[in-house]
Amino acid sequence: MITTSHYLVLSAILFTIGVIGVLVKRNPIVIFMCVELMLNAANLSFIALGRHFGQVNGQMYVIFALAVAAAEVSVGLGIIVAIFRSKETINVDEVNLMKS
Amino acid sequence: MIFPEFVGGVHLPSLIPYIALAGMVGFILTILPGLIWIERVVIALMQDRSGPNRVGPRGLLQSTADVVKLFFKEDMIPQSADIKIYYLAPFLTVMCAFSAGAVLPLQTLTFRLANGDLQTFPLTVGDVNIGVLYILAISSLQVYGIVLAGWSSNNKYSLLGGLRASAQLISYELSMGLAILCVVMFAGTCQLDKIVDAQSGLPFGIPDGHTFIHEIFKGSIFSWFWLGTGIVPVIIYTIAMIAETNRSPFDLPEAESELIAGFHTEYSSMKFAMFFTAEYVSMLIVSGLNAALFWGGSLPPLNVLPFTLIPGFLWFIIKVMGGIFFFTWLRATYPRLRYDALMNLGWKRMLPLGLVWLFLLAVVSLGRGPAKSADNIPEKPVTASQQVQTNPNAVAHR
Amino acid sequence: MATVIAFWVLAILSVVASIAMVVTKNPVRSALALVGTFICVAAFYILLSAQFIAAVQVIVYAGAIMVLFLFVIMLLNLGSPGALRERGSLQPIIATGLGICFLIALLLSGSLLSLPLPAGVRPAEYEPLGTVRAIGINLYDPNQPWLFPFEATSILLLVAVIGAIIMAKRKV
């Protein structure tokens, strides 16, 4: 029997993998992907909880999360391309213009 | 034609998915060599050449000979290729192409239930309530095969082909979605067999009746959605479907003269054959979706005798073949678009046109009052007297 | 029974794919692994009878967002391993340790493992929640709070489109 707790624990595991990825990776594109993974983990728990309580609200939240993720990715990748054009690298350790 | 529910203790309606699956895969695999032959013969006719005429009668066995040749060719792997992804790419492409066909409704079957009532079932592999979205989802996955093939070959022409493919497929999927949305809005459902059902009414808002004229035009070519949604969506969909399948004149990802075959430059032997198969299968699938959405699926063009004798799935196949002929016709007629012209057409012409048309249709359907949605109809067996009115085939066979 | 097997197979697949995404050095392979995870998540949505969200998940995440990622990776030619060196130090180990602590804290926080069962909701009633029809009716119902966020989202997307174009433009 698969209960909602199963889904929540799975979602927590996926979220943690995303967090570790953000901390470990140096490539901003992969960091972005890890953020997407975290968003997905959150979405999964929304839907599982929505079904748990027999409400459609969980799915509504996921629709908005999807739209926000799409917006975020389009702007974020635009920024990465712009940084690459001006600095010829996108390694997050070397892009430190704001640091004095 | 009415089937009994049980034959020798076997519940027939529950066998439908397996029959549909076997039929569809069998049909696709047998028709593929024929398709290639048809394309070559038609193009030869249009360009005033002889075409294939050496192997077999009228060159019919040419495709078979090509397949045999591909089997025995040496399988080349580029030295600096990313081998795992290089192997994965053609499999992905073929898998996505085939699995998109799972929701196409081939025909409506009528069963006499054990209690004497009649109930209709669509002949399809998976009768899911997100049918149209499923096809969109699978066809959006198809770009991965092409992009990964282009990237993993480690060849600059292949990479360019992959890049072009990713940009092109994303751009044209938007217009395609808008055109499909027009149909979904009018039909009031995403389920493909119910979209076909929604086209079986009377055209031009003719009030219901039982005269001879009513019987002829019920579910006829004039009540299908190509006319019902005002011709613009079907044009947008048709252009987008050619771009989605990377066919000429939108074949930039594999342009022979610019990119020496683009993403599959480095593929030979059976892996090349898989890309080839995937291209033709996805042509069949998008033509099938076109037939179901805009051209009445399995409905005959006029509800009179010579047409109604042909069973529904044959009508479906005839419509799909019409789509294939259209593909071939375009390939013989138009030169390839320039890349910027392709993007301009997608983003500056078709997308705004689709949006404006969707808005207009929304206003129109608001004026018509609440759409008589197919989803509203409760899922209960149709009685025998209703059945006579809704199923054109049943009328003809009485 | 079938759903139990499906859940465990998909759970293992999704966790393996997401770990592969973090571990591999090659961004293209990372992206591929992430696509695999997304498709597993879409399958979970179907198990949770949210069919519409599952289709949208595949269309938006796998079909659009990840293609965009791949496009940028190929455009900037970051696909070859070694194009960007990962920092070799203690950091990955510390990060992993902290991440596992975070996971344990999440699990210990209580309500994750033992949810109260809602009273009077039977599994049969879950079914029509995820269809296109149910979602549409709830999304555009003026008595529910979703209509305004929906319109706001459209403006957000418009702003994002304009922002992305300005960012990626060479010269203004």
Side-chain angles (χ1 to χ4, degrees), chain B residues 183-206:
Chain B
V183 172
V184 169
M185 198 167 65
F186 263 41
T189 174
C190 281
Q191 215 163 334
L192 275 168
D193 57 290
K194 287 184 179 165
I195 288 179
V196 172
D197 266 358
Q199 303 178 52
S200 62
L202 284 164
F204 312 124
I206 300 174

Side-chain angles (χ1 to χ4, degrees), chain C residues 144-169:
Chain C
Q144 292 202 27
W146 306 117
L147 198 54
F148 178 72
F150 180 76
E151 300 295 341
T153 308
S154 68
I155 295 174
L156 172 77
L157 285 174
L158 183 66
V159 172
V161 168
I162 296 169
I165 290 174
I166 289 178
M167 281 291 176
K169 223 172 164 182

Side-chain angles (χ1 to χ4, degrees), chain A residues 1-10 12-21 23-30 32-34 36-37 39-40 43-44 47-75 77-82 84-85 89-91 93-94, chain C residues 4 7-8 11 14-15 18-19 21-24 27 30-31 34 37-38 41 44-45 47-50 52-53 56-57 60-61 65-66 68-69 72-73 76 78 84-87 91-92 95-96 99-100 102-103 106-107 112-118 121 126 129-130 135 138-139 146 149-150 153 156-157 160 164 167-170:
Chain A
M1 182 63 194
I2 300 298
T3 59
T4 309
S5 296
H6 285 83
Y7 284 101
L8 292 181
V9 171
L10 177 75
I13 293 172
L14 290 180
F15 192 89
T16 311
I17 294 172
V19 171
I20 295 174
L23 294 176
V24 169
K25 298 305 257 191
R26 288 288 142 247
N27 185 339
I29 294 182
V30 183
F32 239 130
M33 291 184 206
C34 296
E36 296 303 318
L37 180 63
L39 274 173
N40 255 274
N43 288 351
L44 183 60
I47 295 216
L49 283 172
R51 196 187 71 147
H52 185 79
F53 294 111
Q55 289 180 346
V56 81
N57 297 11
Q59 300 185 19
M60 292 296 159
Y61 281 118
V62 173
I63 290 178
F64 295 120
L66 277 168
V68 172
E72 169 223 335
V73 165
S74 60
V75 175
L77 287 178
I79 293 174
I80 289 177
V81 171
F84 187 81
R85 284 229 176 89
T89 179
I90 53 167
N91 192 331
D93 284 343
E94 291 168 35
Chain C
V4 176
F7 175 84
W8 286 111
S14 60
V15 170
S18 49
I19 289 175
M21 178 198 74
V22 175
V23 168
T24 180
S30 287
L34 190 56
T37 316
F38 285 165
V41 172
F44 282 129
Y45 292 167
L47 286 184
L48 290 166
S49 63
F52 174 71
I53 304 284
V56 172
Q57 159 95 3
V60 174
Y61 265 119
I65 291 183
M66 291 317 292
L68 206 59
F69 270 111
V72 171
I73 292 171
L76 305 186
L78 301 170
L84 268 185
R85 281 197 318 279
E86 301 293 334
R87 196 161 55 182
Q91 201 203 7
T96 314
I100 289 168
F102 173 69
L103 179 62
L106 267 184
L107 295 182
L112 220 59
L113 292 175
S114 58
L115 276 170
L117 262 173
V121 184
Y126 294 153
L129 275 183
I135 298 269
N138 282 288
L139 191 59
W146 306 117
F150 180 76
T153 308
L156 172 77
L157 285 174
M167 281 291 176
K169 223 172 164 182
R170 273 174 205 278

Side-chain angles (χ1 to χ4, degrees), chain B residues 82 84-85 88 129-130 133 136-137 140-141 143-144 147-148 151 159 163 166-167 170 173 188 190 373 375-376, chain C residues 26 28-29 32 35 39 51-52 55 58-59 61-64 66-68 70-71 74-75 77 79-80 131-133:
Chain B
D82 190 324
K84 278 179 199 155
I85 296 180
L88 180 72
N129 60 27
I130 49 164
L133 290 171
L136 274 180
S140 70
L141 288 183
V143 64
Y144 283 106
V147 172
L148 292 175
W151 177 77
L159 182 64
L163 277 176
S166 60
I170 285 192
E173 215 171 63
C190 281
S373 157
D375 282 350
N376 276 337
Chain C
N26 186 333
V28 173
R29 289 192 179 189
L32 252 190
V35 172
I39 291 172
Q51 302 98 335
F52 174 71
V58 176
I59 293 174
Y61 265 119
M66 291 317 292
V67 176
L68 206 59
L70 271 181
F71 188 84
M74 290 179 185
L75 195 73
N77 204 9
S80 45
T131 60
V132 184
R133 185 169 190 80

